């Protein structure tokens, strides 16, 4: 039969086996947890990679738009300067400078008109 020493050894071996099973079970749980963490890290890495690419594309688009706007602004400024210059030339061509005799003629003509208007009123109301 079994001696008490064998029973103690068996109980101790049994306890060690139970402890080993618990430890193995805990390690399996930790392994599964680490797999989940690694999976989520991998998905986060992929998400960050795609966000980085999208950000690079947006920055490139913004950079090209800014460059185009700068080019358009300088072209608009050049066009505006040319048009202002052309308008100045046209305005100077339209401006008519009267000579001295033309001014005297205009003053005399205005006086004659005023006198004629006054004479017409006098004749109209004097009857």
């Amino acid at each position: 039969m079994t001696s008490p020493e064998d029973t103690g050894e068996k109980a101790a071996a049994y306890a060690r086996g139970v402890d080993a099973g618990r430890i193995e079970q805990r390690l399996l749980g930790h392994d599964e947890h680490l797999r989940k963490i690694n999976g989520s890290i991998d998905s986060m890495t992929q998400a960050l990679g795609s966000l980085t690419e999208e950000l690079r594309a947006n920055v490139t688009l913004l950079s090209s738009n800014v460059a185009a706007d700068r080019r358009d602004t300088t072209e608009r400024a050049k066009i505006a300067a040319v048009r202002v210059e052309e308008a100045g030339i046209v305005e100077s061509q339209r401006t008519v400078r009267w000579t001295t005799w033309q001014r005297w003629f205009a003053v005399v003509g205005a006086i004659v008109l005023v006198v004629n208007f006054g004479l017409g009123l006098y004749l109209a109301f004097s009857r």
Side-chain angles (χ1 to χ4, degrees):
M1 300 220 177
T2 59
S3 68
E5 291 178 1
D6 289 339
T7 307
E9 287 178 20
K10 286 183 181 180
Y14 177 78
R16 282 193 308 266
V18 169
D19 287 341
R22 287 185 189 148
I23 291 172
E24 186 177 344
Q25 186 64 33
R26 287 184 67 197
L27 287 175
L28 287 175
H30 288 300
D31 287 344
E32 181 61 31
H33 182 68
L34 288 175
R35 265 191 235 106
K36 286 181 183 178
I37 289 173
N38 286 340
S40 65
I41 289 174
D42 289 341
S43 66
M44 288 300 292
T45 303
Q46 289 175 353
L48 284 175
S50 66
L51 285 175
T52 302
E53 289 302 317
E54 184 178 349
L55 183 62
R56 283 184 183 147
N58 287 339
V59 166
T60 303
L61 180 64
L62 178 65
S63 175
S64 64
N65 285 342
V66 167
D69 286 345
R70 285 183 185 157
R71 186 178 58 245
D72 290 347
T73 302
T74 57
E75 289 176 7
R76 285 188 204 125
K78 288 178 185 176
I79 291 171
V82 168
R83 293 217 174 135
V84 165
E85 186 177 325
E86 289 174 353
I89 291 170
V90 169
E91 187 63 32
S92 68
Q93 290 173 351
R94 277 193 218 158
T95 305
V96 177
R97 297 282 178 189
W98 287 13
T99 60
T100 306
W101 69 270
Q102 288 173 329
R103 290 182 191 152
W104 277 107
F105 187 73
V107 169
V108 171
I111 291 172
V112 168
L113 282 174
V114 169
V115 170
N116 280 336
F117 183 71
L119 185 60
L121 286 176
Y122 175 75
L123 291 176
F125 290 113
S126 66
R127 290 186 187 202

